[in-house]
Amino acid sequence: MSTEFDSLTTEAYRPELAEIDQLPTLDIARTMNAGDATVPGAVAAQLPRIAAAIDAAAARMARGGRLLYLGAGTAGRLGVLDASECPPTFNTDPGEVVGLIAGGPPALISAVEGAEDSKELAAADLRARGLTADDVVVGVSASGRTPYAVGAVEHARAAGALTIGLSCNAGSPLGAAAEFGIEIVVGPELITGSTRLKAGTAQKLVLNMISTISMIRLGKTYGNLMVDVRASNEKLRARSRRIVQLATGAPDDVIESALTATGGEVKHAILTILGDVDAPTADRLLSESRGHLRAALAATRG
């Protein structure tokens, strides 16, 4: 019997794998690895559209907008994961990059019946977050049909927010609903319909790009250094010292002094050393440059 899934590439059946459960484990691993190796190429085909979406997103965020991911199941979990990694990596406020999953936190570990089928639930979740026209809403769905993701994008676009639809099927309703439709066609899965596999990998790669490159554009890095890292444990404190050393080439005692004077703020410490200014001046210059270290350094040089 034909179903709505018959036309979806992500749901297609691979008859050549019908006996995969009879193969040696190493052969299964090789087959899976070979399939995974095709994912970056599928992402590469969409890089111009991804880049355009990121530039638009960074512009909204630069004026105070937030980045909000919405999805159900694996897609929702990947959004929550990417959002949760931004505060320790880029010292963002937890409300600046947000992951919302259909059904709320309980859905992170178990299915919440019917949650993904509700467009209104997505709209309600966005209303509860106080959606504004400066925000960026990314609907994530492997099939590109999930009502929760489509509803999120439709509600956000009607409110004037920037919308991005990330899916793994061409010509998806999600892609059509969003201002930027990003469709990473990775083909059928090793296990039919298990879109946590290649589709999940593709979604994670693109979400990594959206958050990371947006943060680069917002001045959260200096070159490829994480100068806004939050030193919340000993490992990150050691990383902070190393980042200051890589950026400045200063001796250990100077680095320790700069970090102490700036309360452990890496970006500020670098500016005090390279710009030869005190901590309060570094704080002022970074505030005036909206956190862009290169611009703050330029200000110290007249």
Side-chain angles (χ1 to χ4, degrees), residues 21-43:
D21 57 334
Q22 302 298 307
L23 296 177
T25 298
L26 180 57
D27 288 350
I28 299 174
R30 284 173 173 153
T31 301
M32 188 171 181
N33 181 246
D36 290 343
T38 67
V39 175
V43 174

Side-chain angles (χ1 to χ4, degrees), residues 11-99:
E11 300 289 333
Y13 174 62
R14 297 176 63 183
E16 76 276 16
L17 299 181
E19 303 295 327
I20 194 170
D21 57 334
Q22 302 298 307
L23 296 177
T25 298
L26 180 57
D27 288 350
I28 299 174
R30 284 173 173 153
T31 301
M32 188 171 181
N33 181 246
D36 290 343
T38 67
V39 175
V43 174
Q46 290 292 307
L47 287 179
R49 193 148 189 82
I50 293 169
I54 291 170
D55 281 339
R60 299 285 180 113
M61 296 176 73
R63 60 185 195 233
R66 299 165 296 173
L67 177 60
L68 300 105
Y69 301 129
L70 287 91
T74 296
R77 294 182 190 101
L78 288 169
V80 171
L81 173 63
D82 195 76
S84 69
E85 291 176 339
C86 287
T89 305
F90 300 111
N91 202 17
T92 59
D93 184 274
E96 191 173 343
V97 183
V98 178

Side-chain angles (χ1 to χ4, degrees), residues 42-43 46 50 53 69-71 75-76 78-79 137-146 149-150 153 163-169 172-186 199-210:
V43 174
Q46 290 292 307
I50 293 169
Y69 301 129
L70 287 91
L78 288 169
V137 170
V138 184
V140 189
S141 164
S143 70
R145 300 173 58 91
T146 306
V150 176
V153 165
T163 54
I164 301 170
L166 173 58
S167 71
C168 294
N169 282 292
S172 68
L174 180 59
E179 184 174 347
F180 290 94
I182 299 170
E183 297 173 333
I184 312 296
V185 181
V186 296
T201 299
Q203 291 164 35
K204 187 176 194 310
L205 290 175
V206 176
L207 294 179
N208 282 169
M209 285 185 182
I210 291 172

Side-chain angles (χ1 to χ4, degrees), residues 93-118:
D93 184 274
E96 191 173 343
V97 183
V98 178
L100 300 176
I101 184 170
L108 290 170
I109 56 173
S110 61
V112 176
E113 188 164 345
E116 72 175 65
D117 297 326
S118 174

Side-chain angles (χ1 to χ4, degrees), residues 219 221-224 286 289 291-299 301:
T221 67
Y222 179 63
N224 64 341
L286 283 166
S289 68
H292 288 260
L293 179 54
R294 288 192 189 277
L297 278 168
R301 296 162 184 164

